[in-house]
Amino acid sequence: MNEIREVSAAVREFAVSGRGSGPYALAEGPDGALWFTLVHQGAVARRDPGDGSVTVHPVGAGPTLVAAGPDGAMWFTEYRAHRIGRIAPDGSCSSFTPVTPAGGPFGIAAGPDGAMWFTLTAADRVGRLTMDGEVTEYPSPGAFPSAITAGPDGALWMTLNQHDAIGRITTDGTRTVHSLPTGGAAPVGIAAGPDGALWFTEIGAGRIGRITVAGEITEYPLPDPACRPHAVVAGPDGAMWFTEWGSGRVGRITVEGVVTSYALSRSDSEPHGIAPHDGALWCALESGSLARIEVSA
C-alpha cells in the first residue's frame, strides 16, 4: 500500500497495512531500511528506503518490539509466542526460546557486550542472548520489566511498569532499582538522551521522566494528563520525541523540559513505537500506517 496522507507541513502518513494488522514498533536497520512489527498479523515488515515499497515477512505470534543487532540483523520479541526472533536483511528468520516459559518477552535492545538484552514481563526477569544463541536470565529489579535500553554508563536500563520504578542491570547481572516520585506512573518507554541521562514515559501519570546515571529523577507533566505517553526516542535535533497513544499525537520535549506536539490524522490512530530514520522521526500507528515527522535541525 502506498497511500500518503498530508496531515500538516510537518507530518505525513503512509498506509502500510490494514487496521487489524497493528503496526506496533519500528527501528532503522543496518541495511538503511525501516523495519516494523505487525503485532496482530504475526509479521515483521521492511519499508525500502528507496521506493518505499513494503515487504511483509510472517514470523510468529505477537511480534512486539524490534531492534537492530550487532550482527547486521533485526531482533524482535514475540510476546505471545514467548520467543526472541531474528530476521536477516534477506528475510530469513530464526527464533530462540528463553529459559523461563511463558515469560511474555517485550523490550529488546543491543547491549554494550555484543549481546541482545530483553525483558520478560510476565516472569519479572531480564534476559541476555548472545549471537550464538546462548540465553542467560536474571531476576528483574522490579515488577513487570517493560522497555529496555543501553545506557551511557555501560549498563542496561529498563522501565518497571508495575513497580513505578526504573531499573538498572549491569552486564554481569548486578541490579539496582530507582523508585519514581509519582505513584501510578506505570512507565513504559525508555531511551538514552543526548544529555547523558535516560528519558522515559509515564503512561499512567501523563508525564515524561528523566533519570541521571546517578539516580536523580525529574518528571515533566504533559499538557494533556490523559495522553498516555508510550514510547520515547532521541531525535536528530537534540530533543526527545515520544508517542501519545491516548490522544493520537506525537510529542517533543527538549532537555530543558519544553514540550510541543504534533497532531496525527486521527485521535484514535494509536501511535506506539517511534524511531529516527532518514533524517526524520517515524512512528508506528496501530490504525495501519507509519507517520513521518519532519525535524528541524
Side-chain angles (χ1 to χ4, degrees), residues 134-273:
E134 180 182 350
V135 179
T136 307
E137 290 182 8
Y138 303 93
S140 169
F144 211 83
S146 299
I148 188 169
T149 193
D153 57 346
L156 285 300
W157 292 72
M158 74 205 75
T159 50
L160 302 173
N161 180 261
Q162 294 179 14
H163 202 88
D164 288 337
I166 303 299
R168 176 184 184 271
I169 186 168
T170 63
T171 54
D172 65 0
T174 303
R175 300 172 302 282
T176 310
V177 63
H178 301 278
S179 297
L180 299 178
T182 301
V188 179
I190 189 168
D195 56 348
L198 287 302
W199 291 73
F200 55 93
T201 61
E202 298 184 5
I203 196 170
R207 299 180 180 213
I208 300 297
R210 176 185 184 271
I211 183 170
T212 68
V213 294
E216 180 182 351
I217 296 171
T218 308
E219 296 176 311
Y220 300 94
L222 297 174
D224 177 5
C227 70
R228 298 186 69 76
H230 187 270
V232 63
V233 72
D237 58 347
M240 303 301 293
W241 290 73
F242 55 94
T243 51
E244 299 180 22
W245 174 65
S247 62
R249 302 179 69 89
V250 174
R252 176 184 185 270
I253 183 168
T254 67
V255 293
E256 296 80 24
V258 178
V259 177
T260 54
S261 69
Y262 296 82
L264 300 171
S265 61
R266 298 164 40 166
S267 60
D268 64 347
S269 58
E270 294 188 79
H272 287 288

Side-chain angles (χ1 to χ4, degrees), residues 13-169:
E13 294 181 16
F14 301 80
V16 293
S17 72
R19 185 175 179 87
S21 296
Y24 190 85
L26 70 178
E28 183 174 276
D31 59 349
L34 189 62
W35 291 78
F36 56 98
T37 57
L38 295 168
V39 64
H40 302 309
Q41 188 175 333
V44 172
R46 176 186 185 272
R47 186 178 189 274
D48 189 88
D51 60 12
S53 59
V54 174
T55 306
V56 177
H57 304 279
V59 290
T64 312
L65 298 196
V66 61
D71 58 345
M74 302 301 290
W75 294 73
F76 55 94
T77 51
E78 297 179 45
Y79 189 79
R80 290 196 292 273
H82 305 293
R83 299 181 306 206
I84 305 300
R86 177 188 183 274
I87 185 166
D90 64 1
S92 57
C93 297
S94 54
S95 63
F96 304 86
T97 303
V99 176
T100 303
F106 182 78
I108 190 165
D113 55 350
M116 300 302 293
W117 287 74
F118 59 93
T119 61
L120 294 171
T121 58
D124 292 341
R125 296 182 72 79
V126 180
R128 178 183 184 269
L129 174 60
T130 69
M131 299 302 96
D132 296 328
E134 180 182 350
V135 179
T136 307
E137 290 182 8
Y138 303 93
S140 169
F144 211 83
S146 299
I148 188 169
T149 193
D153 57 346
L156 285 300
W157 292 72
M158 74 205 75
T159 50
L160 302 173
N161 180 261
Q162 294 179 14
H163 202 88
D164 288 337
I166 303 299
R168 176 184 184 271
I169 186 168

